[in-house]
Amino acid sequence: MRLAVDVSGGDNAPDAIVKGAIEALEHLQGDDTLLLVGPEDSITKILREHSIDDPRLSIEHAPEIIGMDESPVEAVRSKKNSSLVRMCNLASHKCENPIDAVISAGNTGACVSAATMLMRRLPGVHRPGIAITLPTFHGPVVVCDAGANPEPRSSHLLQYAIMAETFAANALNISNPRVAVLNIGSEEAKGTKIIRETRDLLKEAPGVNYIGYLEARDLFDGVADVVVTDGFVGNTVLKLAEGLARSLISNVFHAIMEIDPGMATQLEPLAKKLFSRNDYHEYGGAPLLGVNGVCMICHGSSESRTIANAIRTTSQYVREHVNESIVQRLAEVAPVVEPQLKALAASAAAADSAA
Amino acid sequence: MRLAVDVSGGDNAPDAIVKGAIEALEHLQGDDTLLLVGPEDSITKILREHSIDDPRLSIEHAPEIIGMDESPVEAVRSKKNSSLVRMCNLASHKCENPIDAVISAGNTGACVSAATMLMRRLPGVHRPGIAITLPTFHGPVVVCDAGANPEPRSSHLLQYAIMAETFAANALNISNPRVAVLNIGSEEAKGTKIIRETRDLLKEAPGVNYIGYLEARDLFDGVADVVVTDGFVGNTVLKLAEGLARSLISNVFHAIMEIDPGMATQLEPLAKKLFSRNDYHEYGGAPLLGVNGVCMICHGSSESRTIANAIRTTSQYVREHVNESIVQRLAEVAPVVEPQLKALAASAAAADSAA
């Protein structure tokens, strides 16, 4: 297996990325290799600093850098020598021998654009979606989409359910994952038109363990394994959970520190454990489901251990043939929901022409 | 001041509601009175159980009950003798001497529908929005809309900003509130078309202290006082924060209990304090901004203290003449943004006819 890592992406690049790749070496199996994509000089320098000379690591020189604030599509079109574009080109099926996966902690929008434009989509997929694994006290919950597609159609949301369910089953070993649609109430009439359409599609789709609507307050209660939502809401949920968990845990321990510093010292290992259980760094990365290849997107503030964890989960994703299962599941579902999707398209067209 | 309370609304109705009204008596000023709206028999029974015979409490008999799962508009149209409909009719300006405010912990959708249909809107308001006050360690943050309008236009979001800012300034005593738009990134190009339109309107609106986009992870960091978003996202944020805070705090204290039960006992008052700081019951209710009158919506699981707190904040809202200030602020802003709103309407019409 050949995995490529974007050395220029993320707030702590390039050091944390190269260091993460070095830490990941112990997780590699058989003849797995890591390709470090970025400015050759910097990479060589960091490897030398850590006295690393390992045949499983190689370098692909990519001098250009895409900033965190750059317009995604523009950046991908104009910066052919950026690590992101170079990496996704190497993973494209236009290559004779494409690499197996790409991993980046860079500009998420640019990563989605580069992967979608250069690696293309899996057969049958309309729009790729990011599947983020949220840690909860009841185990992981996969939320899809977490930001690739802020205004999806119901046909996209149906595919997010099927792709994320396949990911949860194959890569996270959750058997028969319970799939829910995030909504602002549990009653059937609640929410937007797109949500009600998605519910109808999921009820029809064969082999989906659809359990109904889920309200955000129950997201952490272990009632669903896969939660489907649009990219705007999914991204908001992810960032809110991150911000609130950090704020709450640190405030609890600050309050204890004020009452009794000795007790706080005693509880320090617990605080660390709780932080790590609620910490996206532990999961490493979120797959961009639906691209023809494997693209793992990491948090912008990834540390070396985040990257090492992302490399580990990426190799698991490749090894378990998640994409092959996704293609198969989509092909099973497509003919069954086709009449419904056609009716939805026709009613949307009628509404447009009436307007 | 005359306030009406929906005795039939909420998971703990009617007992918690009547009890909350009794607890609120000590907060009433001058000749303030409370009207208990619901089944007369039940109300009389509860008052007798608590040996309450106070001239400031009176009863309005309303035998019908609107369930939590009923379709809002249907229920409001058909159940003329429900507490909600009766109460909103008494607050309507069609009455010779309308009551000053209504308070309900019942079906939120039905409450929004009843208030909007029967009390009507303030002059200049397009769509009412719920302004929820989220407790944070840095003080309160007002999020509007929290669920009245899941798919608003940018002109609605502009009004939510102005109404919530006025509420924060006048009822919560926040001077020159900082107004932000919730988005999935801080860059100008991020988000949906409606969000970018709202940003442009807020930049133009006179007297608004607009500070830019806010990501959900920063919601609890005290950088904004008023956060504008659509009702779907606002409701999701509210429920997620509620669920995650409950789950995190209780897990921290359970973990401490396992390590050292004595320490846990010692920390119990702290746990209680943290729960209450992160507890919606403390704020009592969320005003439905934009209706012609005062409508305070309480959480479905309101306890008596929630209702008592809601009565207190409602009387504050009435006393500070928040609605008069809202009407004045909207009238100041309307002529300035009118050309922009006309251009948006024209481009939406052109897009519709091109489709």
Side-chain angles (χ1 to χ4, degrees):
Chain A
M1 184 185 310
R2 294 181 305 147
L3 312 177
V5 185
D6 172 8
V7 171
S8 303
D11 305 337
N12 305 315
D15 293 76
I17 315 296
V18 176
K19 219 169 140 248
I22 296 169
E23 288 170 23
L25 285 171
E26 61 175 300
H27 302 303
L28 296 184
Q29 297 184 10
D31 54 0
D32 291 356
T33 59
L34 287 176
L35 186 62
L36 303 170
V37 189
E40 190 167 14
D41 286 2
S42 319
I43 300 172
T44 311
K45 188 167 157 275
I46 301 167
L47 289 176
R48 205 173 293 141
E49 277 166 15
H50 290 87
S51 314
I52 296 291
D53 181 17
D54 192 299
R56 294 171 296 173
L57 288 176
S58 55
I59 299 171
E60 171 81 15
H61 180 54
E64 279 184 295
I65 289 173
I66 295 179
M68 294 305 257
D69 293 354
E70 282 191 64
S71 158
V73 177
E74 286 283 294
V76 172
R77 288 216 174 108
S78 64
K79 294 193 166 169
K80 301 289 178 207
N81 287 317
S82 62
S83 47
L84 208 48
V85 171
R86 190 63 73 83
M87 196 164 82
C88 290
N89 268 324
L90 289 172
S92 157
H93 284 257
K94 284 186 194 165
C95 283
E96 205 175 312
N97 184 15
I99 55 174
D100 296 288
V102 300
I103 297 160
S104 178
N107 180 323
T108 299
C111 198
V112 171
S113 297
T116 309
M117 289 158 70
L118 306 170
M119 295 162 70
R120 305 282 167 148
R121 288 163 292 160
L122 286 172
V125 170
H126 300 308
R127 288 282 298 267
I130 299 172
I132 191 93
T133 304
L134 283 183
T136 85
F137 291 99
H138 302 272
V141 174
V142 179
V143 175
C144 187
D145 168 41
N149 189 4
E151 295 177 279
R153 298 181 187 179
S154 51
S155 54
H156 303 162
L157 292 172
L158 167 69
Q159 294 200 331
Y160 293 156
I162 294 164
M163 295 195 292
E165 167 218 65
T166 309
F167 167 65
N170 294 29
L172 305 179
N173 299 317
I174 298 171
S175 80
N176 198 21
R178 296 157 299 170
V179 177
V181 172
L182 190 68
N183 202 353
I184 55 173
S186 53
E187 306 84 37
E188 293 283 304
K190 281 276 171 131
T192 61
K193 189 165 162 283
I194 285 173
I195 283 180
R196 292 187 293 272
E197 288 175 10
T198 306
R199 167 204 67 193
D200 292 341
L201 288 166
L202 282 170
K203 283 184 177 172
E204 209 63 37
V208 175
N209 183 10
Y210 174 65
I211 60 163
Y213 294 149
L214 182 89
E215 290 188 84
R217 74 160 70 87
D218 303 322
L219 200 54
F220 301 94
D221 290 347
V223 290
D225 304 300
V226 170
V227 176
V228 178
T229 188
D230 70 55
F232 192 97
V233 173
N235 196 271
T236 300
V237 161
L238 164 69
K239 286 177 179 163
L240 184 73
E242 192 188 316
L244 183 58
R246 191 190 51 203
S247 151
L248 270 175
I249 299 177
S250 79
N251 274 288
V252 168
F253 285 95
H254 272 116
I256 294 174
M257 179 70 91
E258 274 173 26
I259 295 175
D260 185 342
M263 198 190 279
T265 311
Q266 217 179 319
L267 290 172
E268 217 181 292
L270 172 66
K272 281 194 181 142
K273 195 172 127 203
L274 288 170
F275 264 118
S276 83
R277 267 209 227 156
N278 286 281
D279 182 4
Y280 55 86
H281 294 295
E282 290 296 304
Y283 283 90
L288 179 63
L289 299 176
V291 289
N292 193 4
V294 178
C295 172
M296 198 64 79
I297 297 177
C298 301
H299 199 286
S301 62
S302 286
E303 301 162 5
S304 61
R305 69 186 169 102
T306 330
I307 300 299
N309 285 332
I311 292 169
R312 190 170 40 75
T313 53
T314 305
S315 63
Q316 169 102 346
Y317 189 105
V318 175
R319 200 162 282 122
E320 299 295 339
H321 303 288
V322 177
N323 279 356
E324 287 82 339
S325 303
I326 285 175
V327 172
Q328 195 188 322
R329 282 288 292 133
L330 290 177
E332 279 163 26
V333 171
V336 180
V337 296
E338 205 191 340
Q340 245 176 308
L341 288 175
K342 274 191 180 155
L344 288 175
S347 93
D352 273 351
S353 67
Chain B
M1 184 185 310
R2 294 181 305 147
L3 312 177
V5 185
D6 173 8
V7 171
S8 303
D11 304 337
N12 306 314
D15 294 77
I17 315 296
V18 176
K19 219 169 141 246
I22 297 169
E23 288 170 24
L25 286 171
E26 61 174 299
H27 302 303
L28 296 185
Q29 298 185 10
D31 54 359
D32 291 357
T33 60
L34 287 177
L35 186 62
L36 302 171
V37 189
E40 190 168 13
D41 285 2
S42 320
I43 300 173
T44 312
K45 188 167 160 273
I46 302 168
L47 288 176
R48 204 173 294 140
E49 277 167 15
H50 290 86
S51 313
I52 295 290
D53 181 18
D54 192 300
R56 295 172 296 172
L57 288 177
S58 55
I59 299 173
E60 170 81 16
H61 180 54
E64 281 185 293
I65 288 173
I66 296 180
M68 294 307 256
D69 293 354
E70 282 191 65
S71 158
V73 177
E74 286 282 295
V76 172
R77 288 214 175 109
S78 63
K79 295 193 166 170
K80 302 290 179 206
N81 287 317
S82 62
S83 48
L84 208 49
V85 171
R86 190 64 73 84
M87 196 164 83
C88 290
N89 268 325
L90 289 172
S92 158
H93 284 257
K94 284 187 195 164
C95 283
E96 207 175 309
N97 185 16
I99 55 174
D100 295 288
V102 301
I103 297 161
S104 177
N107 180 324
T108 299
C111 197
V112 171
S113 297
T116 309
M117 288 158 69
L118 305 171
M119 295 162 70
R120 304 283 167 150
R121 288 164 291 161
L122 286 172
V125 170
H126 299 310
R127 288 282 298 266
I130 299 171
I132 191 94
T133 304
L134 284 184
T136 85
F137 290 99
H138 301 272
V141 174
V142 179
V143 175
C144 187
D145 169 41
N149 188 4
E151 294 177 279
R153 298 181 188 178
S154 50
S155 54
H156 304 162
L157 292 172
L158 167 68
Q159 294 200 330
Y160 293 157
I162 294 165
M163 296 195 291
E165 168 217 63
T166 309
F167 167 65
N170 294 28
L172 305 178
N173 299 317
I174 297 170
S175 78
N176 198 22
R178 296 157 298 170
V179 176
V181 172
L182 191 67
N183 201 353
I184 55 173
S186 54
E187 305 84 37
E188 292 283 306
K190 280 277 170 129
T192 62
K193 188 164 164 282
I194 284 172
I195 283 179
R196 292 187 294 273
E197 288 175 9
T198 306
R199 166 203 68 194
D200 292 341
L201 289 165
L202 282 170
K203 282 185 177 172
E204 209 63 37
V208 175
N209 184 9
Y210 174 66
I211 61 163
Y213 294 150
L214 182 89
E215 291 187 83
R217 74 160 69 88
D218 303 322
L219 199 53
F220 301 93
D221 290 348
V223 290
D225 304 300
V226 170
V227 176
V228 178
T229 187
D230 69 56
F232 192 98
V233 173
N235 195 271
T236 300
V237 161
L238 164 69
K239 287 176 178 161
L240 184 72
E242 192 189 316
L244 184 58
R246 191 189 53 204
S247 150
L248 270 174
I249 298 177
S250 78
N251 274 288
V252 167
F253 286 95
H254 272 117
I256 294 174
M257 180 69 91
E258 274 174 26
I259 295 175
D260 184 341
M263 198 188 280
T265 311
Q266 219 180 319
L267 289 172
E268 218 180 291
L270 173 67
K272 281 193 181 141
K273 195 173 127 204
L274 288 169
F275 264 117
S276 84
R277 266 209 230 157
N278 287 281
D279 183 3
Y280 55 87
H281 294 295
E282 291 297 305
Y283 283 90
L288 178 63
L289 299 175
V291 288
N292 193 4
V294 177
C295 172
M296 198 64 80
I297 297 176
C298 301
H299 200 286
S301 64
S302 287
E303 301 161 5
S304 61
R305 68 186 170 102
T306 331
I307 300 298
N309 285 332
I311 292 169
R312 191 171 37 75
T313 54
T314 305
S315 63
Q316 169 103 345
Y317 189 105
V318 176
R319 200 161 283 121
E320 298 295 339
H321 303 287
V322 177
N323 279 356
E324 288 82 340
S325 304
I326 284 176
V327 172
Q328 195 187 322
R329 282 288 292 133
L330 290 176
E332 279 164 26
V333 171
V336 180
V337 297
E338 203 191 341
Q340 246 176 306
L341 288 175
K342 274 192 180 154
L344 289 174
S347 92
D352 273 352
S353 67

